Amino acid sequence: MKRKVICVVGTRPEAIKMAPVILALKKSADIDCRVLATAQHRHLLDQVLRVFEIEPDIDLDIMRPNQALITLTARLLLDLDDVLLAEKPDAVLAQGDTTTVMTVALACFYHKIPFGHIEAGLRTGDMANPFPEEMNRVVAGRLAKWHFAPTESSRQNLLKEGIDNRDIFVTGNTVIDALLSVAERTTELPFDLAPGLRTILVTAHRRENFGAPFENICRAILALVERNPDTQVVYPVHPNPNVKDVAYNILGNHPRIKLCDPLDYLPFVEMMKRSYLILSDSGGVQEEAPALGKPVLVLRHETERPEAVQEGVVRLVGPDFSEIVRQAQTLLDNEAAYRQMARGVSPYGDGHAAARIAGILREHFAVCD
Ligand code: UD1
Ligand code: UDP
């Protein structure tokens, strides 16, 4: 019997990390894989779906400008209710820790539909950091039937919360599947990089950094580029207005700082490859950059991705002016320190996570038949 599995994508990173799973499930003759886009992100989501040639079967088009979390949550739950009633899937999969994922897990719970959580078990242990993502993933984890954990330490986090070991599968992170599927390609950038300069790539979007912390981050970037005439900054700015307005105000006028709209996934990977150093508060970038041998200074005080920090290729600097400048300056000045962080390791996966997830689902359905 053919089983219906709905794969949900809401934001850019979910689409990147779900794409390999969707493509793997679509190859399974015994599974009818349907793609549900909540479109919590609109442009950012569409960019990624185009790259992987994925066409949503259902699109909730939920994004509104600067939408409040409670409105987003309430609208998602109501729309998901309709979809689950109409579609009656045998299983639903979602990835990560966004509002989309938390509401999907909850809607599945109410409808008694088995929910599989991809990238399960990431924790900081602090509900305020990252906000609201720590709460989202704790809720999703409490409600999931299958926990697809990327690493052994994420499995341990789930065991500490009382999840049955038989429901946890360490698969690796599908972000590495996506990255390896494109990393060998050379892609044109939509702008020219000044030759002979070392490029610092920046991304930032975390809600807990809005306001003064994000202003500190921008001032530190400005200070770094002013102190180091052999550097340039490329910063694709997240469209969240709380980020965009501040970034353009503080950094918009420097000749060696290139602010631009978010890059498509392929040019962004190309940009990571061409960077000397990355400053980011992004989860996905913390996972991808080590695999490309690029040091990352994380603009947060804590991370739910401790593996690369333990490997010494990612370092936490917080949204702290002096620490960002000090640590980045060390990497610009000290070649040995730089080489230590640019070793190229991949603690998050081997590129086969999606095949493992598809295999586990197929096995489950085969046993049920
Ligand atoms: C969201 C997720 C965050 C994830 C991040 C990845 C939540 C609460 N937050 O944060 O966990 O790490 O995505 O990028 O789930 N916008 C656009 N166009 C887009 C996307 C966003 O204009 O394509 C603007 C809109 O004004 C939107 C706002 O950004 O209302 C905020 O979007 P939202 O999804 O709520 O939060 P993000 O900060 O993007
Ligand atoms: N990314 C992209 N274009 C950009 C910036 C990031 O394609 O301009 C990709 C990046 O390679 C990574 C993902 O988006 O896979 C990270 O998304 P984001 O930082 O928005 O979210 P997070 O990972 O923090 O949830």
Side-chain angles (χ1 to χ4, degrees):
M1 188 169 74
K2 211 163 175 163
R3 302 303 186 120
K4 187 192 277 190
V5 177
I6 294 190
C7 289
V8 185
V9 291
T11 66
R12 168 174 64 194
E14 292 163 70
I16 292 168
K17 292 172 173 182
M18 283 302 285
V21 179
I22 292 166
L23 299 176
L25 289 177
K26 281 190 182 290
K27 278 194 225 145
S28 305
D30 43 354
I31 287 179
D32 170 20
C33 171
R34 307 259 293 158
V35 178
L36 163 59
T38 65
Q40 177 180 331
H41 284 175
R42 182 73 276 167
H43 329 77
L44 297 189
L45 181 74
D46 294 344
Q47 281 182 355
V48 178
L49 294 177
R50 263 197 312 275
V51 171
F52 290 97
E53 297 177 6
I54 293 170
E55 190 76 44
D57 300 290
I58 307 154
D59 193 323
L60 302 182
D61 200 20
I62 215 88
M63 196 193 92
R64 296 291 176 274
N66 211 7
Q67 184 156 224
L69 289 176
I70 288 181
T71 319
L72 174 64
T73 304
R75 293 182 60 230
L76 277 167
L77 275 174
L78 290 172
D79 284 8
L80 288 166
D81 187 31
D82 291 343
V83 172
L84 295 181
L85 273 173
E87 293 280 324
K88 297 188 176 37
D90 296 289
V92 175
L93 301 179
Q95 181 284 332
D97 51 23
T98 65
T99 301
T100 287
V101 177
M102 187 270 289
T103 53
V104 166
L106 192 53
C108 286
F109 172 74
Y110 287 138
H111 282 279
K112 299 188 169 61
I113 295 167
F115 167 68
H117 189 206
I118 296 171
E119 199 180 81
L122 274 63
R123 298 286 185 273
T124 59
D126 177 357
M127 281 291 184
N129 285 297
F131 177 90
E133 289 83 2
E134 180 79 358
M135 178 278 289
N136 287 340
R137 56 199 177 208
V138 166
V139 171
R142 188 68 189 81
L143 300 177
K145 171 177 175 57
W146 300 280
H147 304 259
F148 300 110
T151 64
E152 185 50 39
S153 95
S154 41
R155 182 217 293 272
Q156 292 302 326
N157 290 336
L158 292 166
L159 290 175
K160 276 186 226 142
E161 291 177 9
I163 306 293
D164 190 325
N165 195 30
R166 285 168 300 186
D167 299 333
I168 308 173
F169 306 89
V170 177
T171 56
N173 197 312
T174 55
V175 77
I176 303 297
D177 302 28
L179 181 68
L180 296 184
S181 75
V182 303
E184 296 293 303
R185 298 192 215 170
T186 313
T187 310
E188 292 268 309
L189 295 175
F191 44 76
D192 292 327
L193 288 176
L197 299 182
R198 292 184 289 179
T199 302
I200 301 172
L201 177 63
V202 178
T203 80
H205 69 81
R206 302 246 76 95
R207 271 182 160 77
E208 65 275 13
N209 280 348
F210 288 176
F214 185 59
E215 287 171 22
N216 289 338
I217 291 170
C218 291
R219 292 211 178 85
I221 292 163
L222 190 58
L224 269 173
V225 90
E226 278 175 349
R227 284 178 202 184
N228 297 279
D230 68 329
T231 61
Q232 61 189 323
V233 165
V234 172
Y235 176 5
V237 182
H238 195 286
N240 192 320
N242 300 286
V243 171
K244 198 169 176 175
D245 298 350
V246 181
Y248 276 87
N249 264 338
I250 300 180
L251 302 172
N253 274 324
H254 195 283
R256 280 182 288 110
I257 299 180
K258 168 93 199 142
L259 300 183
C260 60
D261 285 341
L263 292 171
D264 280 5
Y265 182 54
L266 295 183
F268 186 75
V269 171
E270 181 69 24
M271 245 344 287
M272 283 195 284
K273 291 197 291 189
R274 295 222 216 157
S275 304
Y276 182 79
L277 166 66
I278 301 177
L279 306 184
S280 179
D281 65 13
S282 160
V285 172
Q286 284 177 65
E287 294 154 345
E288 295 161 336
L292 298 171
K294 301 298 172 177
V296 184
L297 298 181
V298 177
L299 306 165
R300 297 171 56 192
H301 290 301
E302 42 205 329
T303 182
E304 55 294 283
R305 295 167 169 88
E307 296 84 353
V309 178
Q310 282 151 12
E311 287 275 359
V313 297
V314 164
R315 200 166 289 161
L316 295 177
V317 293
D320 182 288
F321 178 92
S322 346
E323 197 56 12
I324 296 168
V325 172
R326 191 177 71 79
Q327 297 268 11
Q329 196 63 52
T330 301
L331 293 172
L332 291 168
D333 292 343
N334 181 333
E335 210 182 316
Y338 180 82
R339 265 192 273 110
Q340 250 327 90
M341 282 191 78
R343 278 179 286 120
V345 294
S346 184
Y348 299 107
D350 61 1
H352 300 290
R356 291 188 187 102
I357 292 166
I360 291 158
L361 278 187
R362 276 200 304 269
E363 211 170 285
H364 166 78
F365 290 135
V367 171
C368 293
D369 281 339

